[in-house]
Amino acid sequence: MTTAAAQKVSSESAITVIPQAGYIGAEIAGVDLSAELSDAVVAEIRQALLTWKVVFFRDQTIGHAEQIAFARRFGKVTPAHPYEENPPAGFPEILPIDSRRYGVQYGRKRTSYDSSWHTDVTALVNPPAFSILRADILPTHGGDTAWTNLVAAYENLPETVRAFADTLDAEHTFESRAAQGSARAETIARKPLRTFHPVVRVHPETGERALYVSPGFTRAARTIRGLGPRLSAHVLDALWEEATRAEYTVRFRWQPGSVAFWDNRATAHLAIPDAGHLDQDRVLYRVTIEGDVPRGVDGRLSESVEGDPFYGS
Ligand SMILES: [Fe+2]
């Protein structure tokens, strides 16, 4: 699939980058993720990722080992998730996003563990820099994922609002949505994660500023430091609305063998909850790459309140 917008990164480049939406998202063609990639191809993928925030690969035939090996080309690979206790045997880095588990964990059928806009695990003081998600089993229809460009959301704010947002810190917590009394709920209660992050973070590679809030991890505390509960709620509502405006988003239709690779430092995403009622399975596998501690525009760092940093290897 080639469009007029498809770009060769350079005349010698092996890959083709095909933009998918006005602000975010590109398909990368011409890469076999099961192969040993050259440093040049890895650099081109990284550059496309920094530019488009999420990139998509189609028709890949890789398993857990190849997915982890690919991720390692971009940084240290973390364990599956701070609360994952049953990763696939032999692959502690793999987080199954598996509808077959959620009936037990949440007491009802659902197609993803979280169906709100979020950036992965921002309750951590050093949330993952990147996530790589591979589709295996999919419903016949529905179950798409959307991503939003948090840099575009920030840059299109009026200057006075940007200057105000630059000064704010919001509380991110891991809110348990697991069924009460379940093993997962107990695990989360035993090891709480709570961090204040700058509402605007400076990207460590591009220098871009991103509006670093989304409902997933900020709605439970609903707290901006120093604003009080009422004003915090109003300001967060306004910022969430800006961060998730449809024009900043791209929506991806999964097929078996599809892979999405996104930059958590510049995006939030949403597993669109439109397939739970279909009663079909949806199974994807995620790996995450270690991230740094976010910095605000004045250089201040995020502050951990509860929980340890999450390191990879
Ligand atoms: Fe996620």
Side-chain angles (χ1 to χ4, degrees), residues 113 118-120 262 269 286:
Y113 69 96
H118 66 279
T119 300
D120 284 333
W262 65 92
H269 55 277
R286 191 184 85 184

Side-chain angles (χ1 to χ4, degrees), residues 125-127 195-198 201-202 204 291-296 300-304 309 311:
V125 71
N126 67 330
T195 299
F196 276 93
H197 290 298
R201 81 173 284 188
V202 179
D292 59 350
V293 176
R295 274 187 190 278
R300 74 185 185 283
L301 289 164
S302 301
E303 292 171 29
S304 174
Y311 297 122

Side-chain angles (χ1 to χ4, degrees), residues 52 64 77 85 87 110 135 178 196 207 211 215 218 223 259 262 296:
W52 292 100
H64 297 332
V77 178
E85 294 183 324
R110 53 191 293 165
F196 276 93
L211 188 56
T218 54
T223 296
V259 174
W262 65 92

Side-chain angles (χ1 to χ4, degrees), residues 13-14 43 89 111 121 131 134 145 151 162 169 222 225 228 243 248 262 295 299 307:
S13 173
T111 50
V121 215
S131 300
R134 167 172 61 96
T145 301
V151 173
R162 272 184 275 142
D169 297 285
R222 231 176 159 74
R225 184 184 273 140
Y248 303 139
W262 65 92
R295 274 187 190 278

Side-chain angles (χ1 to χ4, degrees), residues 52-272:
W52 292 100
K53 319 305 187 203
V54 56
V55 294
F56 307 112
F57 303 88
R58 293 283 192 189
D59 303 319
Q60 300 295 322
T61 50
I62 59 171
H64 297 332
E66 292 85 1
Q67 185 176 357
I68 294 164
F70 174 65
R72 279 202 207 292
R73 302 300 301 276
F74 297 88
K76 293 180 176 173
V77 178
T78 69
H81 187 280
Y83 297 130
E84 176 57 52
E85 294 183 324
N86 293 298
F91 298 102
E93 302 90 347
I94 295 282
L95 177 70
I97 311 286
D98 186 336
S99 59
R100 296 169 299 189
R101 308 170 123 194
Y102 300 135
V104 178
Q105 289 179 350
Y106 296 90
R108 63 188 167 86
K109 188 90 175 179
R110 53 191 293 165
T111 50
S112 187
Y113 69 96
D114 185 1
S115 294
S116 61
W117 281 102
H118 66 279
T119 300
D120 284 333
V121 215
T122 59
L124 289 164
V125 71
N126 67 330
F130 304 107
S131 300
I132 301 175
L133 188 58
R134 167 172 61 96
D136 185 9
I137 300 169
L138 296 165
T140 53
H141 52 291
D144 294 359
T145 301
W147 287 261
T148 188
N149 182 339
L150 298 176
V151 173
Y154 175 80
E155 290 178 348
N156 287 325
L157 289 172
E159 189 181 347
T160 49
V161 179
R162 272 184 275 142
F164 173 57
D166 287 349
T167 67
L168 304 176
D169 297 285
E171 185 175 342
H172 296 237
T173 57
F174 200 99
E175 172 197 12
S176 173
R177 285 177 286 274
Q180 253 193 341
S182 68
R184 183 170 171 83
E186 283 170 21
T187 302
I188 294 168
R190 210 167 46 240
K191 295 193 299 183
L193 289 173
R194 193 149 67 97
T195 299
F196 276 93
H197 290 298
V199 164
V200 179
R201 81 173 284 188
V202 179
H203 194 288
E205 293 188 70
T206 66
E208 292 175 316
R209 297 179 180 186
L211 188 56
Y212 197 59
V213 287
S214 49
F217 291 99
T218 54
R219 68 166 171 242
R222 231 176 159 74
T223 296
I224 292 179
R225 184 184 273 140
L227 293 196
R230 269 171 47 88
L231 200 48
S232 287
H234 288 305
V235 170
L236 282 169
D237 281 343
L239 295 177
W240 293 340
E241 192 177 326
E242 291 296 323
T244 60
R245 279 165 57 157
E247 60 265 45
Y248 303 139
T249 69
V250 64
R251 178 171 176 155
F252 186 60
R253 176 100 192 95
W254 297 98
Q255 295 165 331
S258 297
V259 174
F261 185 0
W262 65 92
D263 186 345
N264 281 306
R265 303 162 300 180
T267 60
H269 55 277
L270 170 70
I272 295 171

